[in-house]
């Protein structure tokens, strides 16, 4: 399984996936982190990031929030979205693998305001 996390500092998840400098791509094997790599984020334009993460073979994206159009585009790429996350990527991976991280449905509805 490959889990994608938007990040700016390579430690914590970015609360809005479209405002990140990097994606942490965490490969999980046997219930443990096998490898983590960081890739530069592509431009923030409609449909670009879901396609990019599909090409990166992501199975899941964990973030704070995103717009409903992005959620639909991730679904089309067969990438599960988990919203409402915050904090360190390492802790979020552990929580997700333990079944303690569920999407809180933090879909952005006001893109012009930055979804805060």
């Amino acid at each position: 399984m490959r889990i994608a996390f938007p990040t700016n500092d390579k430690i914590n998840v970015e609360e809005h996936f479209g405002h990140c400098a990097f994606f942490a791509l965490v490969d999980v094997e046997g219930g443990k982190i096998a490898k983590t790599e960081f890739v530069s984020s592509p431009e923030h334009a409609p449909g670009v990031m879901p396609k990019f993460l599909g090409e990166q073979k992501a199975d899941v994206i964990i973030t704070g929030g995103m717009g409903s159009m992005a959620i639909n585009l991730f679904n089309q790429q067969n990438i599960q979205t988990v919203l409402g996350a915050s904090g360190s990527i390492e802790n979020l991976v552990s929580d997700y693998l333990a079944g303690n991280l569920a999407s809180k449905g933090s879909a952005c509805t006001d893109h012009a305001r930055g979804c805060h």
Side-chain angles (χ1 to χ4, degrees):
M1 167 189 327
R2 180 168 259 198
I3 307 171
F5 294 89
T7 183
N8 284 320
D9 62 7
K10 298 184 179 182
I11 297 169
N12 297 296
V13 69
E14 175 63 28
E15 293 198 18
H16 190 292
F17 88 102
H19 299 169
C20 68
F22 307 98
F23 281 100
L25 299 173
V26 180
D27 292 324
V28 176
E29 295 175 9
K32 297 184 188 267
I33 296 174
K35 179 175 98 173
T36 301
E37 67 178 288
F38 296 92
V39 295
S40 294
S41 176
E43 67 179 302
H44 183 186
V48 172
M49 290 185 184
K51 183 176 183 227
F52 172 77
L53 290 177
E55 292 168 352
Q56 300 297 316
K57 308 291 188 215
D59 299 297
V60 180
I61 181 168
I62 298 176
T63 188
M66 68 176 64
S68 59
M69 183 172 81
I71 294 168
N72 291 335
L73 292 171
F74 277 110
N75 288 338
Q76 290 173 15
Q77 293 289 328
N78 295 314
I79 299 173
Q80 175 192 4
T81 55
V82 177
L83 306 177
S86 64
S88 82
I89 292 167
E90 187 175 337
N91 289 343
L92 289 167
V93 171
S94 296
D95 288 346
Y96 181 77
L97 294 176
N100 297 328
L101 187 64
S103 187
K104 296 176 183 145
S106 298
C108 173
T109 57
D110 189 355
H111 235 68
R113 291 182 159 195
C115 308
H116 296 293

